[in-house]
Amino acid sequence: MRPLLIIVLVILSSCSRDLERSIFIKDPEFPELPKYSEWGLNTFGVYIDRVPFISNDVDQPAKVILYDEKLSFTLAGDRHGVYFSPSNLSLNFVFSPAQNVEDYVGLVQLHDTSWDLTDENMLAIFSEAANTDTLKILNGTLKFTRAQHLFVDKVSEEAILSGTFEFQANYNGTFTTFSNGRFDVGISKNNFYRP
């Protein structure tokens, strides 16, 4: 564990590090998913009925959009499995109200907050290829375990959001379980939008 921590700290402290790069470290218990971390590794993963949906190295794994006093937190990546070729997917959580967030710096207000996904002020929207569906959540929680600033040369470069989620929903007419969800993503001026 200690050598891994040292390697990650060296990577994070490097001024030349590309902050948007993803670093996938396998979870020892669930090797198809990234290990839960709070280091800004720009990864996420969740099982959709035991098929992994994870961030990829090509696209931005997370985006935040602030609009009409709502905050949209989107995770984008691919579904992987024996019977699935990689396909572009996104899972979007929409909060209302937006917790007084004005820019990416304000996202640290999400630290140690938990959201009941059945709440009428929450939406979960799942997109796969051309199909987008607002999920009918049966039960579940989204938790921001840690929200912190990453400083480079004493200047905030991004807000790191780390947490977990899992829920059951009716997706496209089928009862579906999203389990063991975790995210550790950096949000900066490059992936925070305010239309």
Side-chain angles (χ1 to χ4, degrees):
M1 175 65 183
R2 193 175 282 281
L4 176 61
L5 180 60
I6 292 170
I7 290 169
V8 170
L9 289 175
V10 168
I11 291 170
L12 290 176
S13 66
S14 169
C15 291
S16 63
R17 175 174 106 80
D18 180 2
L19 296 176
E20 295 178 1
R21 194 172 132 234
S22 295
I23 302 171
F24 191 97
I25 299 172
K26 291 181 180 182
D27 185 305
E29 193 173 342
F30 305 103
E32 297 166 312
L33 300 180
K35 182 177 179 178
Y36 176 81
S37 66
E38 297 176 353
W39 298 327
L41 300 181
N42 279 321
T43 58
F44 77 86
V46 64
Y47 285 114
I48 303 174
D49 285 340
R50 298 186 292 172
V51 176
F53 163 37
I54 60 172
S55 52
N56 60 34
D57 290 331
V58 178
D59 298 325
Q60 182 69 257
K63 293 180 182 179
V64 171
I65 303 169
L66 179 65
Y67 62 96
D68 298 333
E69 297 188 23
K70 294 180 182 175
L71 192 67
S72 167
F73 175 57
T74 303
L75 302 171
D78 296 318
R79 185 186 303 213
H80 292 264
V82 175
Y83 301 106
F84 296 95
S85 57
S87 57
N88 292 328
L89 307 174
S90 69
L91 177 60
N92 182 8
F93 297 104
V94 181
F95 308 69
S96 178
Q99 302 296 304
N100 300 317
V101 172
E102 298 292 325
D103 56 17
Y104 80 88
V105 175
L107 292 172
V108 295
Q109 296 176 65
L110 295 172
H111 178 72
D112 197 26
T113 59
S114 185
W115 304 84
D116 179 352
L117 294 176
T118 63
D119 187 295
E120 64 183 19
N121 294 316
M122 288 288 300
L123 287 176
I125 302 165
F126 187 65
S127 298
E128 182 171 14
N131 186 28
T132 298
D133 192 11
T134 299
L135 301 174
K136 295 167 188 67
I137 303 293
L138 305 173
N139 58 65
T141 305
L142 168 67
K143 181 168 178 56
F144 290 89
T145 307
R146 189 162 172 91
Q148 61 187 326
H149 287 292
L150 173 65
F151 290 92
V152 176
D153 295 331
K154 299 181 182 178
V155 176
S156 176
E157 291 293 324
E158 64 182 16
I160 297 172
L161 304 178
S162 306
T164 59
F165 62 94
E166 60 182 24
F167 58 91
Q168 292 180 314
N170 188 327
Y171 167 57
N172 215 12
T174 303
F175 292 111
T176 306
T177 299
F178 291 71
S179 60
N180 294 299
R182 71 280 310 272
F183 56 90
D184 178 28
V185 294
I187 305 296
S188 69
K189 61 184 179 182
N190 296 328
N191 56 345
F192 183 94
Y193 302 91
R194 193 170 180 178

